Structure formats: structure tokens, C-alpha cells
């Protein structure tokens, strides 16, 4: 903890080296040890925090490129620590919403200690009777993306058919469970037998398939959805999206949450079956989770009782130590993780 004059501590950091094109590598990041004074700058309304858990998310690949998208999250800054969602404990606060000892989740640095300069974008953790790591996923950004994308963007009706790609990931596993609890027929795709078994046996999906073993994705979807798909929750893009477009029902809805198959391509794949959007009057809508954070209290009200009653389960893939964080992040793009990828910085 900070002493009165500001204790100086070592601070291990994951530094972003330079902008990336193509497939990212662990060497695009460097684990470095520096020092930090545990004292807020005079007059700061920020927070000095000790990071406990960090979230590895596919969208972070887009931040490794030089972005020019107004209103979107900035690129990582070469020579500075990676930033992303995490869970932290407040060591010192200059903001009225937080006090020393509080737990929070929000944007922080990939380092042991961080100075958070925009605490208004952080959420105070009030419920600690669930695993703290859940606030990197289920009770954090991933949970909100699943909730907003499914309930607000897709406007589901009971009994509808729902297809989810990358369905065992942080967001997909939750969309499937929300859809089942809502009374929908749910199918997911994933990239291994282990993940397919997880979807069917742990998350309660009605069916699932390994897309790597399907020579014809259109045929696989027709097998699972003989009458077509009402809702597609898109995490993948590319060939999967093109096959889905052939199988949508009249007035179906597609929520574009992510396009992980495209992030590492220098030339993105095109979509060839877009005429189906017109002929079937399908609505396809992209969304950013930030626009729905005002619904967070309502989301917690729905999901916390379901977690405690065992109606929602969550699988995490945990990596220990900041020194292993680059490998954990890169592993997302080859499907190495099973469930939500979390990096443990400190167990306190």
C-alpha cells in the first residue's frame, strides 16, 4: 500500500512495440520492469490502482493497427503499456465516486499498478459474492455485449432459431445461454471437439458443430436449421457470414459483434450473398458495447440471480502472471483458449 510520501514500487508492464499488420506475434509486445511512485499527482481526479485481473479480447487486435475511426477506441501507443479491460483495487482516489479499498472494473493498463485518468468510465464493483474475475467477462464488457447484442439489437421472440459463431468464447457462451433461458432454439459453431462438447453439455445449446470439420458450411447450417435462421449473432465474419446469408429467414436479424476471422488478414474477404439481405428483408446491424453501458444496472439485475441459481455458467481460461499475458492474447487468434481468456496479475 502507498505510504504518506508515496512508496516507490517495481511495476511490471506489457509494452506495445509498434503497429502490426498481418498476424500478431508475442514479440509485438515486450514485458518490462519499471518503477512507480504510489502517489496520485497533486490535484488529480484520477485513481491509483493495483490491477488484479486483465481481460484478453479479440477486439484488441484492431487496436494493434493504426486506426483512423472517429469515436472508436484509440490504437495502442507504441512504447506504452497495452490497455484493456481489467479488475483493480483502488489504492488512492481523487474522484468522489471511489475511495481507497474499492474494487472496480474498466479500462486499465497491462501492468501491476496503473494511474486511471478517466475514472468516470469505470464501474464500482458492489457484488463480491461472485468470483472477481467474472468482471473481466460475464459481469463486464463481454456480458454487456451479449446482453445488448441479443436483447436490444436482435429483438428476440420466444421460439425463434438462433445461430452463434465463436460460440464458446467470452461473448458467445453467454448469448447462447441468454437465448436458451429466453426460450429460443440455439446452435453454435466452434473450432474443436472439446468446445463443441462444452456448448452442448455445459452451456445447454440444442446443437453445435466444429466448423473446421465441415466441408460445406451451407450444408451444415441447413442440417441444423432446416427452416432457416431467425437470429445470427456474428463473431467471425468471412465464409461463415456468407453461408449464414443463404440460410436466414424472412425478416431475420444479424448482430455484428466481431469479425475475428478477418482481423489478421491484410486483404479482408468479401461477402457474396448480400442479395439475401434484400430478398429476405434481413436487418444486419453492427454495434459497440459502449453505447449500452447505461443499461448495466438492469443487466446486473437480470444476470446476478441467474448466476447464483446456477442457471448461467461461465468458463474461464486463466493465465497466471503478466509475463505470460502476450502469449495469452496471441492465443485468442488461433483458438487456443477455451472460454473467456483472463490474465491473473495478483491474487492479493
Amino acid at each position: 500500500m502507498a505510504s504518506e510520501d508515496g512508496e516507490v514500487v517495481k511495476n511490471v508492464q506489457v509494452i506495445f512495440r509498434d503497429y502490426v499488420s498481418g498476424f500478431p506475434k508475442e514479440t509485438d509486445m515486450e514485458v518490462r520492469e519499471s518503477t512507480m511512485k504510489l502517489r496520485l499527482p497533486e490535484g488529480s481526479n484520477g485513481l491509483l490502482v493495483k490491477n488484479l485481473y486483465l481481460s484478453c479480447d479479440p477486439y484488441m487486435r484492431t487496436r494493434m493497427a493504426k486506426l483512423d475511426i472517429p469515436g472508436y477506441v484509440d490504437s495502442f501507443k507504441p512504447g506504452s503499456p497495452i490497455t484493456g479491460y481489467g479488475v483493480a483495487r483502488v489504492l488512492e482516489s481523487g474522484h468522489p465516486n471511489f475511495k481507497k479499498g474499492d474494487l472496480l472494473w474498466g479500462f486499465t493498463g497491462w501492468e501491476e499498478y496503473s494511474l486511471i485518468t478517466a475514472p468516470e468510465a469505470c464501474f464500482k464493483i458492489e457484488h463480491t459474492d461472485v468470483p472477481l474475475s467474472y468482471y473481466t467477462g460475464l459481469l463486464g464488457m463481454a456480458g454487456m455485449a451479449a446482453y445488448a447484442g441479443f436483447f436490444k439489437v436482435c429483438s428476440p421472440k420466444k421460439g425463434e432459431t438462433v445461430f452463434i459463431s465463436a460460440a464458446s468464447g467470452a461473448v458467445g457462451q453467454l448469448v447462447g445461454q441468454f437465448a436458451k433461458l429466453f426460450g429460443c432454439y440455439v446452435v453454435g459453431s466452434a473450432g474443436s471437439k472439446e468446445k463443441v462438447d462444452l456448448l452442448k453439455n455445459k452451456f445447454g445449446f440444442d446443437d453445435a458443430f466444429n466448423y473446421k470439420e465441415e466441408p460445406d458450411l451451407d450444408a451444415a447450417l441447413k442440417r441444423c436449421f432446416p427452416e432457416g435462421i431467425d437470429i445470427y449473432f456474428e463473431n467471425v465474419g468471412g465464409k461463415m457470414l456468407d453461408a449464414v446469408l443463404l440460410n436466414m429467414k424472412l425478416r431475420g436479424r444479424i448482430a455484428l459483434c466481431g469479425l475475428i476471422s478477418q482481423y489478421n488478414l491484410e486483404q479482408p474477404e468479401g461477402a457474396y450473398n448480400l442479395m439475401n439481405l434484400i430478398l429476405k428483408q434481413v436487418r444486419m446491424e453492427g454495434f459497440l458495447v459502449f453505447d449500452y453501458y447505461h443499461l448495466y444496472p438492469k443487466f446486473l439485475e437480470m444476470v446476478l440471480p441467474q448466476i447464483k441459481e446456477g442457471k448461467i455458467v461461465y468458463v474461464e481460461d486463466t493465465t497466471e502472471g503478466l509475463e505470460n499475458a502476450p502469449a495469452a492474447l496471441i492465443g485468442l487468434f488461433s483458438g487456443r483458449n477455451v472460454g473467456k481468456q483472463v490474465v491473473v496479475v495478483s491474487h492479493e
Side-chain angles (χ1 to χ4, degrees):
M1 282 296 194
S3 63
E4 285 306 309
D5 58 349
E7 179 189 353
V8 176
V9 294
K10 75 175 178 69
N11 192 23
V12 176
Q13 301 176 302
V14 179
I15 304 295
F16 180 58
R17 284 178 181 270
D18 205 354
Y19 299 119
V20 174
S21 63
F23 207 92
K25 307 178 293 297
E26 286 181 47
T27 51
D28 292 320
M29 294 163 273
E30 179 189 356
V31 179
R32 229 184 259 173
E33 190 175 301
S34 63
T35 58
M36 183 176 186
K37 193 173 186 179
L38 293 184
R39 194 80 179 150
L40 271 179
E42 196 66 39
S44 169
N45 73 338
L47 304 172
L48 184 67
V49 302
K50 180 181 183 181
N51 293 310
L52 306 178
Y53 299 93
L54 299 173
S55 174
C56 293
D57 296 297
Y59 83 89
M60 295 172 80
R61 170 60 187 86
T62 62
R63 299 185 65 208
M64 290 180 163
K66 198 163 187 177
L67 293 171
D68 185 21
I69 309 172
Y72 190 69
V73 178
D74 294 335
S75 301
F76 295 136
K77 291 177 176 57
S80 295
I82 296 270
T83 56
Y85 286 97
V87 171
R89 185 177 294 281
V90 177
L91 300 182
E92 196 174 340
S93 173
H95 195 279
N97 291 354
F98 297 92
K99 65 180 189 302
K100 181 179 174 179
D102 282 349
L103 290 160
L104 61 80
W105 72 269
F107 249 64
T108 189
W110 276 34
E111 52 193 353
E112 289 180 278
Y113 300 93
S114 291
L115 175 62
I116 296 176
T117 56
E120 58 279 355
C122 295
F123 295 83
K124 188 172 169 181
I125 294 174
E126 308 278 6
H127 303 275
T128 54
D129 51 350
V130 291
L132 269 185
S133 57
Y134 278 14
Y135 288 92
T136 65
L138 168 53
L139 294 173
M141 183 271 284
M144 276 302 299
Y147 174 78
F150 182 64
F151 289 108
K152 302 305 171 185
V153 178
C154 293
S155 307
K157 300 179 188 70
K158 190 175 178 180
E160 287 192 314
T161 56
V162 177
F163 176 55
I164 303 152
S165 55
S168 69
V171 177
Q173 59 175 289
L174 294 174
V175 177
Q177 292 180 79
F178 291 162
K180 281 302 299 174
L181 288 167
F182 191 73
C184 294
Y185 175 81
V186 181
V187 178
S189 64
S192 72
K193 182 185 184 302
E194 180 188 9
K195 291 177 182 179
V196 167
D197 288 346
L198 205 59
L199 294 176
K200 292 199 280 194
N201 301 324
K202 191 171 185 76
F203 300 138
F205 282 49
D206 295 290
D207 204 353
F209 63 86
N210 181 349
Y211 69 90
K212 292 178 181 174
E213 293 181 348
E214 296 291 343
D216 184 340
L217 292 173
D218 177 35
L221 291 170
K222 283 184 167 53
R223 182 178 74 233
C224 296
F225 298 99
E227 293 178 14
I229 301 166
D230 289 300
I231 289 172
Y232 174 42
F233 199 97
E234 168 67 299
N235 293 308
V236 169
K239 293 179 176 64
M240 185 65 81
L241 174 59
D242 231 21
V244 167
L245 290 172
L246 297 171
N247 289 278
M248 291 300 294
K249 283 190 190 178
L250 192 67
R251 294 188 180 85
R253 286 87 69 211
I254 299 174
L256 296 173
C257 181
L259 299 169
I260 195 170
S261 75
Q262 305 300 294
Y263 295 159
N264 300 314
L265 302 180
E266 293 193 23
Q267 184 61 52
E269 294 172 329
Y272 301 96
N273 298 318
L274 290 172
M275 183 60 78
N276 289 273
L277 295 177
I278 301 169
L279 300 177
K280 297 177 182 177
Q281 301 161 62
V282 172
R283 175 168 58 83
M284 184 159 70
E285 182 178 342
F287 72 99
L288 293 175
V289 68
F290 323 119
D291 292 336
Y292 295 91
Y293 278 158
H294 63 283
L295 299 174
Y296 188 62
K298 192 176 176 186
F299 163 71
L300 285 184
E301 205 176 282
M302 179 195 93
V303 82
L304 281 169
Q306 292 176 333
I307 295 169
K308 289 165 187 174
E309 291 165 24
K311 291 178 180 174
I312 285 180
V313 293
Y314 199 58
V315 170
E316 294 179 316
D317 196 321
T318 303
T319 295
E320 294 278 343
L322 273 167
E323 67 279 7
N324 297 311
L329 179 57
I330 298 305
L332 290 179
F333 305 106
S334 58
R336 196 172 69 200
N337 60 302
V338 178
K340 167 69 193 171
Q341 184 66 64
V342 180
V343 175
V344 181
V345 182
S346 172
H347 291 284
E348 291 196 322

